[in-house]
Amino acid sequence: MANQRPLVDPAMDPMRNRNAARIKFGTPPAPKTESHPEMKYSEDEKKTITKLKQLYLETIDLDVALQKEIYNLEKNFQEKHNVIFEKRKKILDEFRKQNYGDSEPNLSVPNFWLKVLKASYTEFISKKDEKILECLCDIRARLHNDPVVKFDIEFHFDPNDFFTNTVLTKTYFLNCLPDPEDPLSYDGAEIYKCVGCKIDWKQAKDRQKKDDTIEQSSFFDFFSPPVLPDDTEDPNYCDINAILQNDFELGFYLKERVIPKAVIFFTGEIADCQSSSDSETETDDTEDESDAEEEEAASNDK
């Protein structure tokens, strides 16, 4: 899961990206903001710089206040969005009943959300995952501003043969305040933690490979994020940190793009993901072109 990254085009959502949180996890603290060591200032210059930095801190305070207002506004509009998303779910449910009847509870236009997920990021949805995701009937984001700023991604499932949960949740926590020890380093809100949920599998074998060895990579690993070691020298630190960085990107991506734009992911009118096979093919083509150019250049030199 570490190298699965949705390719997001920020230009397509300029207004929503004003509320975009930076991704941060386990990164070492930035050095304190100091003047360049080779620069020497007179006492008058130092006083002027101090006044300018104080003004900069005032702009940071304004940015924090603006960020808070944006989150409050987004939270206020959440219910209006949910009214629309309820209508979307009703349309999908009605289509299913009219075309498949109650005997096929896991088909919707057909398998609407499975197709949406496969169109938005494909790498870690296995064939076994697909059977389970056929039971996925809705995905929602839920915002919280008090006492902490966070958002949930909720995956709603019809009753199925795989687990007893009706909703699987992933929660992302945001820090919207400057570091009191180094406020000048503030650069906007940051996602700093995520928490998954326990999946109550009906059979243990649902999470094991046939040879009963290592668990195969699965979409449902999303709900069990690894714990970052406290020791940055731990041999697993870098790998786990990379996984969590991508996890944060994915959570924000689901919230900002996949959930609201689901129908055009479904129809294929938008596709942000790029499979590794496509990347490898593109790389191979590029290498072949480079080799051909080098051979042509060598022939011309002769």
Side-chain angles (χ1 to χ4, degrees):
M1 186 174 172
N3 58 359
Q4 313 309 330
R5 179 179 301 219
L7 304 180
V8 184
D9 179 8
M12 296 186 68
D13 276 318
M15 293 304 295
R16 293 182 71 86
N17 278 327
R18 288 206 57 165
N19 194 24
R22 294 194 302 126
I23 310 302
K24 179 180 180 182
F25 196 99
T27 51
K32 300 291 184 182
T33 307
E34 298 176 354
S35 300
H36 194 284
E38 296 180 1
M39 298 294 292
K40 295 182 179 180
Y41 301 107
S42 67
E43 288 303 314
D44 287 342
E45 288 174 330
K46 289 179 181 179
K47 290 179 182 179
T48 300
I49 290 171
T50 298
K51 291 179 181 178
L52 293 175
K53 285 186 176 181
Q54 187 58 46
L55 290 177
Y56 176 46
L57 286 173
E58 291 181 20
T59 68
I60 290 176
D61 290 339
L62 286 176
D63 288 342
V64 171
L66 174 61
Q67 196 72 55
K68 184 177 180 180
E69 289 296 322
I70 290 174
Y71 280 117
N72 286 337
L73 185 62
E74 187 176 12
K75 180 72 167 62
N76 291 337
F77 274 79
Q78 177 177 257
E79 289 306 316
K80 295 181 180 180
H81 279 97
N82 282 336
V83 169
I84 297 172
F85 295 154
E86 278 295 329
K87 291 179 181 178
R88 177 173 67 186
K89 186 176 185 302
K90 184 178 179 181
I91 289 172
L92 293 173
D93 289 344
E94 288 178 349
F95 177 91
R96 178 181 66 193
K97 290 180 180 180
Q98 290 173 4
N99 291 272
Y100 299 99
D102 293 332
S103 60
E104 297 288 346
N106 301 329
L107 293 175
S108 54
V109 195
N111 302 330
F112 179 84
W113 285 105
L114 170 60
K115 289 189 175 183
V116 169
L117 291 177
K118 291 184 68 176
S120 53
Y121 53 96
T122 64
E123 296 298 330
F124 54 96
I125 297 179
S126 68
K127 291 297 182 182
K128 190 168 187 176
D129 292 336
E130 289 185 17
K131 295 298 295 182
I132 303 174
L133 290 172
E134 287 176 0
C135 307
L136 180 62
C137 60
D138 203 3
I139 306 177
R140 298 286 182 93
R142 191 175 301 279
L143 311 179
H144 307 269
N145 286 358
D146 187 37
V148 296
V149 179
K150 61 183 180 178
F151 64 89
D152 303 325
I153 305 295
E154 299 177 343
F155 292 74
H156 295 253
F157 287 84
D158 289 322
N160 59 79
D161 297 330
F162 303 100
F163 45 72
T164 59
N165 312 66
T166 57
V167 181
L168 299 181
T169 304
K170 186 74 166 285
T171 303
Y172 293 86
F173 295 81
L174 284 77
N175 176 31
C176 303
L177 299 174
D179 180 350
E181 296 184 2
D182 187 18
L184 294 179
S185 66
Y186 179 76
D187 194 24
E190 299 170 335
I191 298 176
Y192 67 92
K193 182 174 74 170
C194 64
V195 176
C197 68
K198 181 179 181 294
I199 302 178
D200 297 317
W201 297 97
K202 292 184 176 180
Q203 297 183 24
K205 66 181 182 180
D206 286 336
R207 297 295 293 121
Q208 297 176 354
K209 294 179 73 174
K210 291 182 179 180
D211 58 5
D212 208 23
T213 56
I214 303 173
E215 287 187 357
Q216 68 181 111
S217 178
S218 167
F219 168 82
F220 292 92
D221 295 339
F222 175 73
F223 300 99
S224 302
V227 177
L228 190 71
D230 293 330
D231 183 5
T232 57
E233 299 300 321
D234 187 292
N236 296 318
Y237 183 92
C238 290
D239 288 341
I240 294 177
N241 187 50
I243 291 172
L244 291 171
Q245 295 285 346
N246 288 334
D247 191 314
F248 291 174
E249 290 185 15
L250 180 54
F252 198 76
Y253 174 72
L254 285 166
K255 171 179 173 287
E256 293 294 316
R257 288 181 72 74
V258 177
I259 293 174
K261 299 176 181 291
V263 66
I264 53 177
F265 276 108
F266 177 81
T267 60
E269 295 171 77
I270 181 175
D272 286 342
C273 71
Q274 181 176 357
S275 68
S276 60
S277 59
D278 291 340
S279 300
E280 290 168 2
T281 301
E282 183 177 344
T283 302
D284 291 341
D285 292 344
T286 303
E287 290 176 352
D288 291 341
E289 291 174 4
S290 298
D291 291 341
E293 290 175 357
E294 291 176 0
E295 291 176 2
E296 182 178 354
S299 299
N300 292 336
D301 290 341
K302 292 179 181 180

